Amino acid sequence: MVSPGNPLKPVAGMQDFALRLAAACRLADGRRIVASDIEAQLGTRYTVDTVRELRRRFPRAAFVWVMGADILDQLPRWKRWTELPSRAAMAVVPRPSYNQRALAGRAAQRLRRARRPDQRAAALADMPHPAWTFLPGPQHAASATAIRAATSGG
């Protein structure tokens, strides 16, 4: 899901939405991973509102919100963040330099009883909410900020 804009980030320096969506479409395989502009279509600006609207529109779908450890670390800064775990299961992927801080942070501590073993990740969508897991795996240091900085010179 390509966001029209993160309320916590400055608009200055943000690449045009259409260009970001096109880049995401090139990276997605179109089957297992699909780039979507649904947040722009829904007119939502905050994740909690997007997830609420997705659940309303697709009541039979089981959603798992996939985020990086950097987002888990920042989650307490998000609007109505405590509602998110009750609306969708969450899978957290590792991000260099964020993992330990995120797993020791406010969100992980608040949700510690809802954490599930990574071996049960395949069943996450069907678990009662709240439910989340930290997925071990290869880490990639790329970030949107770093990619913008690298491509800003053309």
Side-chain angles (χ1 to χ4, degrees):
M1 184 170 60
V2 178
S3 175
N6 181 336
L8 296 177
K9 291 186 177 181
V11 175
M14 182 65 65
Q15 189 177 43
D16 177 71
F17 176 73
L19 293 174
R20 291 186 290 121
L21 180 60
C25 287
R26 286 191 300 274
L27 291 172
D29 67 10
R31 295 170 312 201
R32 295 176 303 149
I33 299 174
V34 177
S36 171
D37 66 348
I38 194 156
E39 198 169 42
Q41 292 177 40
L42 296 173
T44 55
R45 185 148 167 85
Y46 298 98
T47 302
V48 68
D49 297 327
T50 301
V51 172
R52 183 194 69 238
E53 185 61 21
L54 287 172
R55 290 184 54 88
R56 187 185 72 74
R57 288 186 182 209
F58 305 101
R60 295 183 190 183
F63 292 98
V64 176
W65 178 32
V66 180
M67 67 177 130
D70 53 326
I71 299 302
L72 180 63
D73 183 46
Q74 298 166 11
L75 199 57
R77 295 176 50 207
W78 289 31
K79 181 179 181 182
R80 299 190 337 261
W81 75 275
T82 57
E83 293 178 31
L84 288 170
S86 66
R87 296 187 183 276
M90 302 184 310
V92 181
V93 296
R95 290 291 309 275
S97 78
Y98 285 97
N99 302 328
Q100 295 303 322
R101 185 171 62 209
L103 291 171
R106 187 172 161 209
Q109 291 306 307
R110 183 178 180 121
L111 297 168
R112 68 184 170 277
R113 286 189 219 107
R115 187 172 177 186
R116 304 293 178 252
D118 62 272
Q119 297 88 350
R120 299 207 43 225
L124 201 57
D126 299 319
M127 293 180 189
H129 302 141
W132 71 283
T133 193
F134 186 85
L135 300 171
Q139 300 181 56
H140 197 290
S143 68
T145 303
I147 291 168
R148 281 192 303 274
T151 60
S152 66

